[in-house]
Amino acid sequence: MPDDPRIALPPVPDDQRGEAVAVWREDVPIDTYTPAAPDVYPAFLEARVYQGSSGRVYPLPFYERIAETREPVRWDAVHLENRWLRLMVLPALGGRIHVGYDKTAGYDFFYRNNVIKPALVGLAGPWISGGVEFNWPQHHRPGTFLPVDVEIEHEPDGAVTVWCSDHDPLTRMKGMHGVRLRPDRAVVELRVRLYNRTEDVRTFLWWANVAAHANDHYQSFFPTDVRFVADHAKRATTTFPRASGRYYGVDYPARADGSRPDGDRLDWYRNIPVPTSYMCVGSEDDFFGGYDHGAQAGFVHWADHRIAPGKKQWTWGNAPFGWAWDRNLTDGDGPYVELMAGVFTDNQPDFSFLAPGETRSFSQYWYPIQRIGPAHQANLDAAVSLSADAGTARVGVAVTAVRRGCLVRLRAGDAVVWAERHDLAPESPLVTDVPLPRSYALEDLELTVEHEGATLLSWRPRPAPAEETPPAPATEPPAPEEITGTDELYVTGLHLEQYRHATRSPEPYWQEALRRDPGDARSAVALAARRYGDGLYTEAEELLRRAVARQTLRNPNPYDGEAYYRLGLTLIRLDRAAEAYDALAKAAWNAAWRAPAHWALARLDC
């Protein structure tokens, strides 16, 4: 194996020493396999399927070759460091977090790839493994090898945010993510702002793609209420953590035998022999993560599950094919798993909508854990684990800040069977065996962590579930003529449009609905939006006037103002400003379209 020295991270500069959160910008030399210059001719690739959706790249250039030898390259890097954590952000590679290091454990809780070694698996060609990649507005990030603008924000409490901002060339939207460290927390916060700066509705997805070093001792963990997982687009489903049947062509029950009783468990990297994705189907909890039992370290991801339900693992597979891909992407850092966290969806490819002028804002969080094993419950203050065997309970508590005098209690019903006070800190978790006065069912126990009279976290294990059947996988939509109702025709077309389907057009579904009912307002508006995007403004106007006529048949103020809004945009393109102003003003009567309409009117006034 060739020499593969670790990336030499620079020391904290003199002017940053003593800062609770140090931040500075300093180039870092990294051995790099450089992509060759792209073809000078544009690649349209209209029917290319990529990650289950469209693989069109124009106006991005398409890269087809990577250098076969590496050479040192000085990469622009922004460094963040507090008492516990060290981060390195690479603005030239989409603002990814390339290094996430737990200083107290000496452990890279994010996979550190010590070379930049792209493989041609990205939307526009080159893609690299390791660290944290921020996938938007499509998977994987189209701008992986495009730079972002950087601003550093210092906050009054000593927190620092490294803001990375880019302009997506495919949809002309603006995306910002801010990597924040606080002085008193061992937590990485990602602050996200997504802005639709166009006049049309756009679709997007956002998944943070976190890589973690994997080996035979690495276990991913989902909340304990996760019973099922699904493939991309929910094409296949199975039970979790033990797979109840074939998944990705692998007969997992047959892999569990006397020499490997857990061979059917998907949460262990060692058990998955082929490239495999799984995404959790439903959870009321806000966390998941991964843990290396050999290193006794791992990380927790936390985000509000009502905004960020997406929890996923991907691996190339623990077998020769997967190992070959590991070698394609690194020179010596070995295998990894991806533990991805998605917002506004629990699956890929699944896209959400951004209205014209709309901004979505949210945060995601990660923090390292030590010694406690996979977390059974977690929030932004603490992560806990609880198991019991033969009259002994094992208690694990990790915290994200210094918490002196924590009261840790174990109850069985109303009785306190154990309570102790401990000084806890990110580098000082509590792991202890507690003798029980008698045997208890695990769900009869409750673990509580309190600090200064406030409860940081409380956890009661869930009872074992009854045997259940996985939800049915998704099915392919039938042909338009086979669908009975116009409502289903509209919804099927919307699905194909929203998911950016590469090989099936939504238009035949809307056209069939209009053939049956020429005044079908929803299908007319949807088809008009396509005509507007194609520059066929006269056809778009005709469809939109049909929709307006139907919607105003009984009521001059329709429930949905989208038809008026799109009519206004179309009339602007047809250079009929007075009519456009009237249509947009009527769109503004409607609550859902008031903000986009006023936004468009302001642009018209300019």
Side-chain angles (χ1 to χ4, degrees):
M1 183 178 295
D3 292 336
D4 187 31
R6 293 174 64 80
I7 296 170
L9 297 178
V12 177
D14 290 342
D15 64 350
Q16 292 289 309
R17 294 185 186 278
E19 296 288 343
V21 179
V23 60
W24 72 101
R25 198 164 183 171
E26 182 176 349
D27 289 355
V28 172
I30 307 176
D31 284 347
T32 301
Y33 294 81
T34 306
D39 197 315
V40 296
Y41 298 105
F44 293 99
L45 305 173
E46 292 300 304
R48 175 191 176 209
V49 180
Y50 182 79
Q51 295 285 335
S53 55
S54 173
R56 290 174 295 188
V57 297
Y58 182 81
L60 284 170
F62 192 73
Y63 294 80
E64 298 183 275
R65 296 181 305 280
I66 306 294
E68 295 182 0
T69 58
R70 67 188 192 187
E71 59 183 5
V73 172
R74 297 197 67 85
W75 289 90
D76 177 25
V78 182
H79 308 268
L80 268 171
E81 184 170 345
N82 70 5
R83 172 178 167 182
W84 301 281
L85 306 180
R86 173 73 186 260
L87 307 176
M88 184 175 77
V89 176
L90 296 182
L93 292 176
R96 71 190 300 119
I97 302 175
H98 197 71
V99 173
Y101 183 66
D102 181 354
K103 293 161 55 178
T104 65
Y107 177 71
D108 283 296
F109 57 96
F110 299 151
Y111 179 97
R112 186 193 301 199
N113 200 338
N114 289 289
V115 294
I116 304 295
K117 191 175 186 181
L120 296 176
V121 297
L123 182 68
W127 178 86
I128 64 172
S129 64
V132 186
E133 171 197 29
F134 304 112
N135 288 234
W136 108 283
Q138 189 167 332
H139 189 91
H140 286 278
R141 187 186 190 97
T144 289
F145 266 74
L146 293 178
V148 295
D149 291 330
V150 174
E151 291 289 338
I152 297 174
E153 177 187 1
H154 294 268
E155 300 173 54
D157 66 354
V160 175
T161 301
V162 177
W163 284 105
C164 300
S165 175
D166 74 345
H167 169 257
D168 173 59
L170 298 182
T171 59
R172 298 188 294 120
M173 293 193 291
K174 179 180 180 180
M176 298 175 63
H177 63 268
V179 182
R180 176 195 257 167
L181 274 190
R182 295 186 178 278
D184 58 348
R185 293 244 169 182
V187 176
V188 180
E189 180 183 0
L190 190 78
R191 306 163 66 189
V192 182
R193 309 286 185 268
L194 306 178
Y195 171 52
N196 180 4
R197 52 184 294 278
T198 76
E199 77 279 2
D200 209 342
V201 177
R202 299 295 190 196
T203 59
F204 77 97
L205 60 74
W206 177 280
W207 282 78
N209 183 8
V210 179
H213 288 274
N215 52 52
D216 284 352
H217 307 292
Y218 199 85
Q219 182 183 14
S220 61
F221 56 86
F222 285 175
T224 59
D225 63 347
V226 175
R227 308 287 187 240
F228 308 107
V229 293
D231 185 19
H232 291 266
K234 300 184 179 177
R235 297 170 300 191
T237 60
T238 189
T239 52
F240 181 88
R242 293 187 181 274
S244 57
R246 300 186 74 86
Y247 191 65
Y248 275 78
V250 178
D251 184 353
Y252 279 97
R255 293 174 62 82
D257 54 30
S259 63
R260 187 173 49 188
D262 68 352
D264 58 348
R265 290 185 62 121
L266 292 173
D267 51 343
W268 291 91
Y269 160 79
R270 65 184 181 231
N271 291 337
I272 303 176
V274 298
T276 301
S277 291
Y278 59 77
M279 286 156 266
C280 81
V281 179
S283 176
E284 296 179 0
D285 286 339
D286 302 316
F287 76 98
F288 75 111
Y291 190 81
D292 186 331
H293 291 264
Q296 295 190 46
F299 74 86
V300 166
H301 168 269
W302 188 93
D304 184 341
H305 73 276
R306 290 169 289 264
I307 296 172
K311 301 171 175 66
K312 171 191 173 183
Q313 181 187 279
W314 151 263
T315 174
W316 288 106
N318 183 28
F321 182 85
W323 303 333
W325 269 105
D326 294 332
R327 293 191 296 272
N328 284 341
L329 290 162
T330 188
D331 281 348
D333 290 301
Y336 67 95
V337 294
E338 295 173 4
L339 292 168
M340 302 186 70
V343 298
F344 309 118
T345 178
D346 66 355
N347 198 266
Q348 300 168 341
D350 191 6
F351 293 81
S352 293
F353 294 99
L354 270 179
E358 182 184 4
T359 297
R360 295 273 189 106
S361 302
F362 54 89
S363 286
Q364 299 171 293
Y365 304 83
W366 294 268
Y367 58 88
I369 55 175
Q370 304 171 21
R371 295 178 48 215
I372 69 168
H376 294 142
Q377 188 56 259
N379 58 23
L380 285 178
D381 293 316
V384 298
S385 61
L386 175 62
S387 58
D389 182 48
T392 301
R394 169 152 286 201
V395 170
V397 182
V399 294
T400 60
V402 175
R403 304 284 188 179
R404 300 192 185 281
C406 278
L407 178 60
V408 185
R409 279 195 281 222
L410 191 62
R411 286 187 174 90
D414 294 331
V416 176
V417 298
W418 173 82
E420 287 185 0
R421 288 195 179 273
H422 289 269
D423 292 337
L424 302 179
E427 71 275 21
S428 302
L430 169 66
V431 180
T432 187
D433 290 331
V434 177
L436 300 174
R438 62 178 179 82
S439 293
Y440 294 95
L442 190 58
E443 59 267 26
D444 293 336
L445 301 175
E446 182 178 23
L447 176 63
T448 302
V449 183
E450 298 176 11
H451 181 250
E452 296 180 348
T455 299
L456 297 183
L457 187 61
S458 182
W459 165 240
R460 180 186 292 275
R462 296 178 169 101
E467 187 171 339
E468 299 176 81
T469 302
T475 58
E476 182 179 358
E481 60 274 12
E482 298 172 6
I483 293 177
T484 303
T486 56
D487 183 69
E488 186 179 348
L489 284 165
Y490 167 74
V491 169
T492 302
L494 183 64
H495 163 76
L496 296 172
E497 175 84 351
Q498 180 179 353
Y499 277 46
R500 306 184 182 184
H501 204 285
T503 58
R504 294 189 66 171
S505 171
E507 293 191 16
Y509 294 89
W510 297 328
Q511 289 167 338
E512 176 63 18
L514 291 169
R515 185 189 68 78
R516 300 180 193 179
D517 177 5
D520 186 296
R522 291 193 301 170
S523 291
V525 170
L527 192 57
R530 298 274 290 194
R531 295 292 176 263
Y532 178 85
D534 293 337
L536 302 174
Y537 303 123
T538 301
E539 293 183 32
E541 181 188 4
E542 191 274 330
L543 288 162
L544 291 165
R545 291 202 182 278
R546 265 200 257 173
V548 168
R550 172 61 61 81
Q551 290 181 327
T552 58
L553 182 65
R554 306 288 182 189
N555 186 349
N557 182 12
Y559 181 77
D560 186 346
E562 182 178 1
Y564 271 127
Y565 175 78
R566 291 193 178 278
L567 180 59
L569 296 182
T570 301
L571 293 168
I572 290 173
R573 297 293 185 176
L574 291 170
D575 200 24
R576 290 150 61 186
E579 293 176 76
Y581 206 101
D582 183 62
L584 289 170
K586 288 180 178 176
W589 294 357
N590 180 274
W593 289 90
R594 186 171 299 134
H598 281 301
W599 182 74
L601 283 166
R603 297 180 67 182
L604 184 59
D605 287 339
C606 292

